[in-house]
Amino acid sequence: MNATLDQLCAIVGAGHVLTAPDDQRAYVVDWMKKYHGRALAVVRPGSTAEVAAVLRCCNEAGVAVIPQGGNTGMAGGATPDDSGRQVILSLTRMNKIRDLDPVGNTITVDAGCILAAVQMAANDAGRFFPLSLGAEGSCTIGGNLATNAGGVAVLRYGNARELALGLEVVLADGRIWDGLQALRKDNTGYDLRDLFIGSEGTLGVITAAVLKLHAAPVAQATAMMALPDRDAALALFTRLRGRVGDRLTAFEFMTRNCVDLVLKQVAGASLPFAAVPPAIVLAELSDTDAGTDLPALLEDLLAAAIEAGEATDAVIAQSGEQAKALWRIREGISEAQVRAGKTIKHDIALPIGQLAAFMDECERVVEAACPGLNFLVFGHLGDGNLHYNLQRAPHMDDEAFYALTGSLNALVHDLVHRYRGSISAEHGVGQLRRDELPRYKSGVALQMMLDLKRLFDPGNILNPGKLLQS
Ligand code: FAD
Ligand code: 2HG
Ligand code: ZN
């Protein structure tokens, strides 16, 4: 082990090989404080060549490597095990914007670039990079691609996969794949890029990416709507999307418990309604044509929705500040959950038309098995993606609640499976869902995934034990 550490120091410089527990603290625990590991070292390379040399060294020594970006993932994918023998490969020093091409409408970035920095670089060039999520101030492009992150703009622009054109990847044995093409068309065989996207650091380390840019929206309108019940959200979605199409760039849904929690836990959060309604939708319309009067259009739509009984009240933000305050309620939900004590999370995707039926049935099933739990249901309703999180009943202690994790997961996920949904819509599998995967994924699909893993990483050094039982 000492010889490996010496080699790693020689590759990246001793100052970028962190071995002291104090220096490692921020890297060995995940954002939710759910997963705690130990590491031989945190290694911080400054270039693709250094990543390649680190992987070559670890592969030869049989040392496992855990790629890490902003460490905001929600599936425990970036946390090492507790053996103290794994190396965390932190990409955050690799944070350069390599190129921005306004004609091709692309940006080429190092994998360790913070998402918000990429958004900013696009903005400075009069363009728009649409990937947007609550952790955008600290998550990295490499992590976004490795988890195929979603977020609040998938409805219009797609998830991380749909925003990537090319990748640079270092393979387990240190070979570098330069797939940094900025092509919209390339039918020269298997799509290697798409294999790495969503592979959660198990097939290779993403070191750079070419990303698609879009025209910057110059007109925007944001509204928060109070709903009479959660089922009304689907009618409202159909109304808005039917009328404005792709100009509906976000349609976020929150049930009453989530809003109550944010109002209690997040300083400065306030609701523009007199009372907390059973459910809320936060919708955003955007247009690249400054002449479009989006607030007027939204006002019309909301009046019709209230008339039809799909909403009971609505507020349209009158300024950027007001829009931010409305978003604060939505984006505060994760933080509020962490402050209020741990939850059992489910990040599920369902056919959109089945969401209301699913929520009714799932609540009945969970309540019958485990009375009194607090349901924190919210998410990207326009994508069919719910965060179906459960919080302990007031009479339970944490330990009794956690003992229910397996049975609650099975209840929720069996039902998701019956509705032909997915048990991980956007957060990935990591270690959180790894052991559940075989229950819901076909044997054929799992075998193909295992075969790919063995092909790309025969020594099983890349994020072992994540995503697949390997
Ligand atoms: P990390 O957490 O560091 O890593 C995540 C996974 O990717 C790990 O398996 C890791 O090994 C791997 N990885 C990281 N970098 C690389 C690389 N360069 N090459 C290969 N593998 C790599 N997610 C959503 O999808 N939608 C949301 O709306 C959303 N909202 C969030 C809100 C909050 C407040 C928080 C804390 C998280 C949220 N997330 C959301 C989850 C998380 O932010 C995203 O999954 C994000 O994309 C992870 O990026 P990261 O750089 O932090 O990755
Ligand atoms: C979001 O949409 C994130 O806010 C986090 O995906 C979800 O906290 C969660 O469960
Ligand atoms: Zn989400």
Side-chain angles (χ1 to χ4, degrees):
M1 286 293 173
N2 279 347
T4 306
L5 280 178
D6 289 346
Q7 284 181 44
L8 293 172
C9 288
I11 295 165
V12 299
H16 299 302
V17 178
L18 314 180
T19 51
D22 270 358
D23 295 341
Q24 291 187 358
R25 212 173 300 284
Y27 301 87
V28 294
V29 180
D30 74 315
W31 186 86
M32 298 174 295
K33 312 272 183 278
K34 181 181 171 83
Y35 297 101
H36 298 253
R38 294 192 307 126
L40 175 68
V42 176
V43 177
R44 306 182 65 234
S47 66
T48 302
E50 286 184 8
V51 173
V54 168
L55 286 190
R56 207 172 302 120
C57 161
C58 289
N59 195 43
E60 277 163 16
V63 171
V65 175
I66 316 302
Q68 191 179 93
N71 198 17
T72 67
M74 291 203 156
T79 314
D81 67 15
D82 60 4
S83 67
R85 298 168 69 86
Q86 301 188 323
V87 162
I88 295 176
L89 185 73
S90 169
L91 277 295
T92 51
R93 276 181 70 220
M94 293 177 59
N95 59 5
K96 292 200 183 44
I97 306 286
R98 294 191 188 182
D99 183 44
L100 191 145
D101 173 2
V103 179
N105 235 2
T106 60
I107 187 166
T108 305
V109 303
D110 280 353
C113 279
I114 303 286
L115 171 54
V118 177
Q119 294 168 344
M120 200 97 75
N123 193 49
D124 290 348
R127 296 289 190 277
F128 181 58
F129 182 62
L131 189 67
S132 173
L133 43 100
E136 64 196 22
S138 42
C139 63
T140 62
I141 290 298
N144 298 150
L145 291 167
T147 58
N148 188 24
V152 296
V154 172
L155 190 59
R156 161 70 179 84
Y157 298 100
N159 47 19
R161 184 187 303 283
E162 282 154 85
L163 296 169
L165 285 175
L167 295 184
E168 177 185 83
V169 177
V170 179
L171 302 179
D173 58 10
R175 282 176 298 156
I176 298 169
W177 174 52
D178 178 355
L180 276 182
Q181 279 100 339
L183 303 175
R184 309 267 163 173
K185 290 186 158 184
D186 175 17
N187 278 350
T188 53
Y190 305 137
D191 197 330
L192 298 172
R193 173 196 63 202
D194 275 355
L195 271 183
F196 293 104
I197 297 175
S199 69
E200 302 184 47
T202 62
L203 297 183
V205 176
I206 299 168
T207 47
V210 184
L211 304 167
K212 287 181 199 166
L213 297 177
H214 286 262
V218 286
Q220 213 147 35
T222 307
M224 184 167 268
M225 291 150 265
L227 273 50
D229 53 55
R230 62 183 182 213
D231 294 359
L234 282 177
L236 197 54
F237 175 64
T238 311
R239 176 183 298 279
L240 264 63
R241 175 89 145 182
R243 174 84 186 276
V244 305
D246 267 359
R247 285 177 293 178
L248 181 64
T249 41
F251 192 90
E252 295 290 310
F253 169 77
M254 293 154 266
T255 48
R256 171 184 276 151
N257 291 349
C258 304
V259 181
D260 282 338
L261 197 69
V262 171
L263 295 177
K264 205 159 131 195
Q265 300 287 349
V266 177
S270 77
L271 192 69
F273 306 122
V276 182
I280 281 182
V281 161
L282 180 60
E284 191 179 79
L285 307 193
S286 311
D287 204 313
T288 52
D289 180 357
T292 317
D293 191 350
L294 288 181
L297 181 56
L298 196 50
E299 211 169 305
D300 258 16
L301 279 161
L302 298 184
I306 291 175
E307 172 88 23
E310 293 156 8
T312 53
D313 200 354
V315 173
I316 298 179
Q318 299 302 315
S319 66
E321 278 312 302
Q322 278 182 17
K324 260 195 206 146
L326 297 180
W327 273 105
R328 183 78 193 114
I329 298 168
R330 166 62 183 90
E331 309 241 281
I333 301 176
S334 295
E335 189 184 322
Q337 288 172 89
V338 171
R339 291 201 184 145
K342 289 170 186 157
T343 51
I344 296 176
K345 284 183 185 284
H346 304 100
D347 163 36
I348 56 183
L350 294 146
I352 301 178
Q354 306 275 306
L355 284 169
F358 172 85
M359 283 191 273
D360 287 346
E361 192 172 351
C362 200
E363 190 168 303
R364 269 201 313 276
V365 169
V366 172
E367 178 62 22
C370 221
L373 295 183
N374 198 22
F375 290 78
L376 296 170
V377 181
F378 64 104
H380 319 287
L381 189 127
D383 311 328
N385 177 190
L386 290 180
H387 298 303
Y388 200 95
N389 299 344
L390 301 169
Q391 204 181 27
R392 72 172 170 77
H395 65 270
M396 273 178 191
D397 59 28
D398 276 354
E399 212 176 314
F401 176 56
Y402 281 126
L404 299 171
T405 305
S407 53
L408 285 171
N409 286 347
L411 280 181
V412 174
H413 289 155
D414 283 0
L415 196 60
V416 167
H417 192 60
R418 188 145 68 65
Y419 277 77
R420 296 188 69 80
S422 167
I423 66 162
S424 177
E426 57 172 9
H427 295 161
V429 174
Q431 44 185 312
L432 177 68
R433 302 273 168 245
R434 187 197 67 176
D435 295 338
E436 289 180 80
L437 212 53
R439 189 173 167 101
Y440 305 108
K441 202 129 189 133
S442 79
V444 176
L446 270 178
Q447 190 57 54
M448 286 193 283
M449 285 167 65
L450 270 172
D451 290 347
L452 285 168
K453 170 70 176 167
R454 286 186 190 129
L455 179 71
F456 280 87
D457 181 20
N460 195 23
I461 63 147
L462 282 175
N463 224 354
K466 310 288 171 45
L467 179 53
L468 292 166
Q469 294 163 329
S470 52

